Amino acid sequence: MALRIGGASKSFSDHKVLDAVDFDLAAGEVHALLGENGAGKSTLMNILSGIYTADAGRIEIDGAPVSVSGPAAAVALGIGMVHQHFKLVQPFTGRENLHLAASGLPVVPPRATVDAQISELVIRSGLDVALDVPVARLSVAEQQRIEILKTLLLGARILVLDEPTAVLTDAEADGLLSLVRDLAAQGHAIIFITHKLREVISAGDRVSVLRRGRMVLANRAVEDVTRDDLSSAMIGGQDVAVTKRAGARSGADLLSVSGATVMDGGATFVSGANLTVRAGEIHGLAGVGGNGQRELAEAVLGMRPLADGRVVLEGHDLKAASVAARRGVGMRYIPADRSADALASNVTLADNLAATAVRTGALGRGLVWPGRIRAHAGSLIEAFGIAGASGGARRPVRLLSGGNAQKVILAREIDGDARLIIAHSPTRGLDVAACAYVHDRLIEAASRGAGVLLISEDLEEILALSDRISVISRGRIASTADGRPDRAQIGDLMLGHA
Amino acid sequence: MTIAVTAWLGAMPGFMAPLLLAALGLLLCERAGVLNLGVEGVMALGAMVGAAMSLAGWSPWAAMGAGALGGLAVSLPFMVAVIVFRAPQISAGLALAAIALGASAALGRGASHKPFPGLENMTWGGDWAALPVVGRMLFQQDAVVYLTLILAGLMALWLMRTRAGLRLRAVGEDPATADASGVDVQLYQFGAVAVGSLLIGLAGAYLSVGGSNIWTEGMVAGRGWIALALVVFAQWSPIRAIGGAVLFGGAEALIPRLQAMGVEVPVYLLSMLPYALTIGVLVLMALSKRARQAEPGFLGRAYIRQDR
């Protein structure tokens, strides 16, 4: 075995994240590692790459016990991580990034040697990519190729790909999968982390599943397991799939966006988009990230100008309205980037919750009363079960976990006056329980008669929650005539085929 | 007219060199992500030390070396504050400017208004030196002018063509990635600011030792701030900095010519000029998308490694 992990355990302040996990990997194979968010996949891989030290357990490489004392030690042992967030200097060219990585090698070869090595590597691995333009100008898939080249250049034989397809389009993902097969055929040992069953079946040799820190299905050949085995191993006995609301009734059009075009710096992000959200419905907008979702949401919210088109909410023409005016008529926003766009991270929980309530006069008119801010926060903390708020509402929100931070946003945005809630990737990075909570709150808001525009890259989420589904692709919105495309039709629409 | 132009062009390199030296020093700091707003003060200190040492009988070269070291010495607290303790760079830099300006005035009291022998011009190039109009500009300057130009070229080569240069740029653009690649971020920043401070101190010393041959308080007269604008104007490229220094230095050299020609220029307008130019350049550059992209991505921010 190229790699064997035995009995790995890790706790963070009493919380057991990994519990006696066994894992092995042979040269020339692709071993898929499945698991929900928070199942412990990242922790396991961080132990392997020297970022964390395991509390217990051992790691063997080629049969010999090793100690991975830090990231540099991992590199020296031939372990290469390809993270979800690329570690590339954006203004540098691919070649410069490779030179930079190579300069971290213990013995530094001269530049010409590195260049020769790079060319040889590109030919051998089939990782064809433009190396002499700034990385910032490359697509995500191309940047990923450079990231993989980097680990190979550093001599990695064990490659860890952390959810590599999460950021790719379907076509790009297929390209990556065949590349991964090629790398395995060249003798590399590959750990492929994913939560997409399709990828496990098409690219994996063996598969393991982590759930809540335990290996619930270990080192099994892919041919010997069924899709059902895998999905039940992943989610366990509990039924976490959101129960589709029975016979959701939806009323008249609440929001109507017509011919919306959003431009910025000469580039067109959204072109001629039409979309309606009815009262009481959840309208899912599916699409691969970066296809204009954010720009559309921000334009509807008034944070960006519309180059063309109209936004009407319950008869109010909002084309030129301010953000405040839009909020005044009941628009609410749950942005994709919690820390950057929704919360002031160094500001207290109470003040974050009060930020939108000051306009309503509930906290006092003219002057706001600290007592009312506290009371306001206290009632919301209770109503939404915001945990981790020990020390009360005076703690800065940056100290909260992702799930609790999202609850703060939900508590603030889904108030009694909310008419239209735009939720952009509201469960990104959350664990299963927090996801379910967010979904429940969105469903609840819809059943109270508000409209929800759910923008998500997670197709399962869209399919589970939505009454109607549209797809955004390169700034254009499309759907089927009945507004309920199935999985295959959504895939076609994502690729831009109508 | 030809005489005036010849004289103007001949004086220009002497105005260009200190601006370029200071800009190169600053450029090095900024490429490593450190915004050093202390330039004006560090130059003032370098000018004072250079003059004091010249008055003490040191050769011009030794005096300028001392000025450079003075620049480094006064910058040490700034380096420790900003690189080790990650103090906010803007306030620390302004504090450095104030401290160094004050120190130069206080320590230099005995050296004020006393002329001393300075750096001599070289004459080379044989018959070429007699070329009309440009002969003086090209062939009758002091050695610092030529060395500064060579330094700009070397710095460009070093930044773009060597492994250490690549690492330094990575530190200024994306310290987390540099760190992950095994680059000691703080070490590179320390080195960059140390060498940068030497150059800035030298720029100041050249003003007194190579230029005026006399020291008075406030003689840097805003050139440090101009150097800051110059780096932005040059889009952080040493080669473009030459062009910028020629432009700003040429403008500066024009003022005494205009006065000599009898053009009345209000003195307050002149003392305003460096700051007006600085703001003007910064606004212009802020409008240019390309210039904004040239700025080191992590300039002025403190890098703290994520807790492990």
Side-chain angles (χ1 to χ4, degrees):
Chain A
M1 281 293 150
L3 169 76
R4 191 187 296 275
I5 298 174
S9 296
K10 177 78 185 173
S11 302
F12 292 109
S13 56
D14 295 346
H15 181 53
K16 200 143 202 171
V17 187
L18 281 181
D19 190 1
V21 166
D22 297 322
F23 182 84
D24 63 52
L25 179 70
E29 81 161 340
V30 178
H31 192 152
L33 181 58
L34 271 169
E36 293 279 349
N37 286 323
K41 293 170 298 182
S42 308
T43 310
L44 183 62
M45 291 307 119
N46 282 335
I47 287 172
L48 186 59
S49 58
I51 291 169
Y52 297 143
T53 334
D55 300 335
R58 62 194 179 281
I59 300 177
E60 286 171 17
I61 289 183
D62 298 329
V66 294
S67 124
V68 189
S69 53
V75 170
L77 288 166
I79 299 167
M81 267 300 257
V82 177
H83 294 273
Q84 261 178 304
H85 302 283
F86 305 144
K87 293 206 176 339
L88 296 171
V89 182
Q90 290 289 320
F92 281 15
T93 64
R95 191 177 301 281
E96 283 177 316
N97 269 292
L98 292 173
H99 285 160
L100 184 67
S103 72
L105 286 170
V107 180
V108 183
R111 187 187 172 110
T113 323
V114 178
D115 274 343
Q117 245 179 300
I118 293 171
S119 319
E120 200 257 346
L121 197 61
V122 167
I123 294 165
R124 182 158 45 88
S125 65
L127 280 158
D128 199 13
V129 59
L131 283 176
D132 293 306
V133 293
V135 165
R137 275 198 242 144
L138 299 178
S139 73
V140 176
E142 290 169 309
Q143 295 191 20
Q144 190 174 52
R145 283 166 169 245
I146 291 176
E147 193 73 42
I148 296 173
L149 270 179
K150 209 164 90 177
T151 57
L152 295 178
L153 185 66
L154 291 168
R157 294 174 303 119
I158 298 168
L159 268 176
V160 183
L161 304 174
D162 187 6
E163 299 200 12
T165 55
V167 289
L168 303 181
T169 63
D170 280 355
E172 288 171 335
D174 288 342
L176 179 73
L177 292 178
S178 78
L179 188 79
V180 164
R181 291 286 359 151
D182 290 350
L183 289 172
Q186 291 158 31
H188 293 98
I190 295 167
I191 303 175
F192 194 93
I193 301 177
T194 183
H195 51 226
K196 295 179 187 162
L197 301 181
R198 179 181 80 87
E199 293 168 359
V200 176
I201 289 156
S202 74
D205 295 308
R206 287 193 300 157
V207 60
S208 294
V209 181
L210 264 175
R211 189 175 77 236
R212 294 173 179 225
R214 288 167 168 278
M215 244 352 152
V216 288
L217 189 145
N219 308 320
R220 296 270 297 274
V222 167
E223 306 90 70
D224 299 345
V225 291
T226 64
R227 257 170 185 275
D228 289 344
D229 294 342
L230 294 175
S231 54
S232 62
M234 254 166 91
I235 52 182
Q238 56 177 354
D239 185 20
V240 289
V242 177
T243 38
K244 184 86 172 67
R245 292 171 300 139
R249 7 158 217 109
S250 49
D253 282 358
L254 193 68
L255 171 80
S256 120
V257 177
S258 46
T261 298
V262 184
M263 320 237 299
D264 192 358
T268 305
F269 287 97
V270 179
S271 50
N274 297 313
L275 185 76
T276 58
V277 180
R278 297 177 189 145
E281 85 162 345
I282 297 181
H283 189 145
L285 184 61
V288 177
N291 270 296
Q293 290 97 325
R294 181 192 170 107
E295 289 75 14
L296 176 69
E298 290 184 355
V300 172
L301 255 298
M303 295 160 70
R304 281 174 187 270
L306 269 183
D308 197 14
R310 277 157 57 92
V311 173
V312 178
L313 180 66
E314 292 190 297
H316 304 276
D317 184 349
L318 299 173
K319 183 163 193 224
S322 67
V323 177
R326 291 177 207 229
R327 290 195 69 96
V329 294
M331 249 190 216
R332 298 290 184 268
Y333 186 34
I334 301 168
D337 189 339
R338 280 190 283 283
S339 52
D341 295 338
L343 296 170
S345 52
N346 281 325
V347 170
T348 64
L349 191 53
D351 287 353
N352 268 289
L353 286 169
T356 54
V358 283
R359 278 186 179 278
T360 64
L363 307 176
R365 294 203 178 274
L367 291 172
V368 292
W369 303 105
R372 291 201 199 169
I373 291 181
R374 275 198 301 278
H376 172 74
S379 68
L380 287 177
I381 286 171
E382 208 187 307
F384 283 77
I386 301 169
S390 56
R394 294 192 195 177
R395 276 159 59 100
V397 285
R398 77 182 136 82
L399 300 176
L400 297 181
S401 71
N404 280 304
Q406 191 69 318
K407 282 185 182 174
V408 174
I409 300 167
L410 293 176
R412 191 180 68 197
E413 299 296 310
I414 308 185
D415 58 4
D417 297 331
R419 294 302 299 143
L420 173 81
I421 298 154
I422 302 177
H424 190 178
S425 299
T427 57
R428 182 182 284 173
L430 302 187
D431 61 27
V432 182
C435 284
Y437 185 87
V438 171
H439 289 162
D440 286 347
R441 288 288 168 163
L442 292 177
I443 290 170
E444 190 184 288
S447 40
R448 276 207 318 263
V452 176
L453 177 60
L454 172 67
I455 305 174
S456 177
E457 292 172 52
D458 182 347
L459 204 49
E460 308 302 327
E461 180 173 55
I462 293 265
L463 288 166
L465 258 64
S466 307
D467 300 302
R468 285 191 298 159
I469 296 172
S470 300
V471 175
I472 186 164
S473 167
R474 293 205 195 88
R476 297 176 183 279
I477 293 181
S479 187
T480 52
D482 62 355
R484 293 169 203 276
D486 62 21
R487 197 177 283 264
Q489 288 169 319
I490 292 175
D492 278 349
L493 291 168
M494 278 182 181
L495 294 171
H497 320 145
Chain B
M1 191 62 201
T2 316
I3 298 170
V5 171
T6 309
W8 170 54
L9 289 179
M12 188 269 287
F15 286 94
M16 173 217 63
L19 286 178
L20 182 55
L21 266 175
L24 289 176
L26 202 56
L27 195 146
L28 208 55
C29 300
E30 296 195 5
R31 281 287 196 160
V34 179
L35 181 62
N36 184 352
L37 292 182
V39 227
E40 178 80 6
V42 176
M43 280 180 83
L45 196 97
M48 185 276 293
V49 172
M53 290 302 129
S54 295
L55 286 169
W58 290 30
S59 78
W61 287 102
M64 284 192 296
L69 286 174
L72 172 62
V74 79
S75 301
L76 281 174
F78 169 77
M79 290 159 69
V80 172
V82 160
I83 300 169
V84 181
F85 296 107
R86 283 114 173 167
Q89 295 181 7
I90 290 182
S91 23
L94 292 173
L96 171 62
I99 290 170
L101 276 170
S104 70
L107 300 174
R109 220 170 284 160
S112 192
H113 290 97
K114 291 178 187 158
F116 51 83
L119 204 59
E120 299 288 334
N121 277 0
M122 305 165 56
T123 303
W124 61 291
D127 294 342
W128 291 100
L131 269 182
V133 187
V134 294
R136 212 181 120 193
M137 174 177 79
L138 295 178
F139 300 103
Q140 293 180 52
Q141 302 296 332
D142 58 53
V144 173
V145 169
Y146 301 114
L147 290 176
T148 303
L149 290 171
I150 293 169
L151 180 70
L154 289 179
M155 193 182 282
L157 276 177
W158 184 82
L159 276 173
M160 303 312 293
R161 289 275 174 264
T162 69
R163 203 179 69 231
L166 179 77
R167 288 173 161 194
L168 183 90
R169 287 187 288 131
V171 165
E173 293 288 356
D174 187 347
T177 300
D179 195 7
S181 314
V183 177
D184 188 332
V185 172
Q186 292 186 317
L187 186 72
Y188 269 81
Q189 291 189 328
F190 238 106
V193 182
V195 175
S197 305
L198 282 171
L199 291 176
I200 294 167
L202 181 64
Y206 176 78
L207 283 178
S208 60
V209 180
S212 59
N213 297 345
I214 193 167
W215 180 78
T216 56
E217 196 189 326
M219 68 176 286
V220 176
R223 287 183 182 85
W225 306 115
I226 294 188
L228 272 163
L230 186 48
V231 174
V232 180
F233 178 79
Q235 297 174 26
W236 291 267
S237 145
I239 299 298
R240 285 207 197 94
I242 298 178
V246 166
L247 194 73
F248 285 83
E252 223 185 304
L254 197 60
I255 292 161
R257 295 298 123 203
L258 287 176
Q259 285 170 328
M261 286 164 73
V263 181
E264 288 281 339
V265 192
V267 66
Y268 296 110
L269 207 63
L270 291 183
S271 39
M272 203 180 78
L273 199 64
Y275 309 100
L277 258 178
T278 307
I279 292 183
V281 163
L282 293 180
V283 169
L284 272 180
M285 286 296 138
L287 294 176
S288 145
K289 199 175 169 192
R290 225 178 103 204
R292 266 184 287 137
Q293 282 172 347
E295 180 175 88
F298 222 74
L299 180 59
R301 290 159 64 190
Y303 169 63
I304 297 170
R305 189 189 284 201
Q306 273 201 330
D307 295 329
R308 286 191 172 140

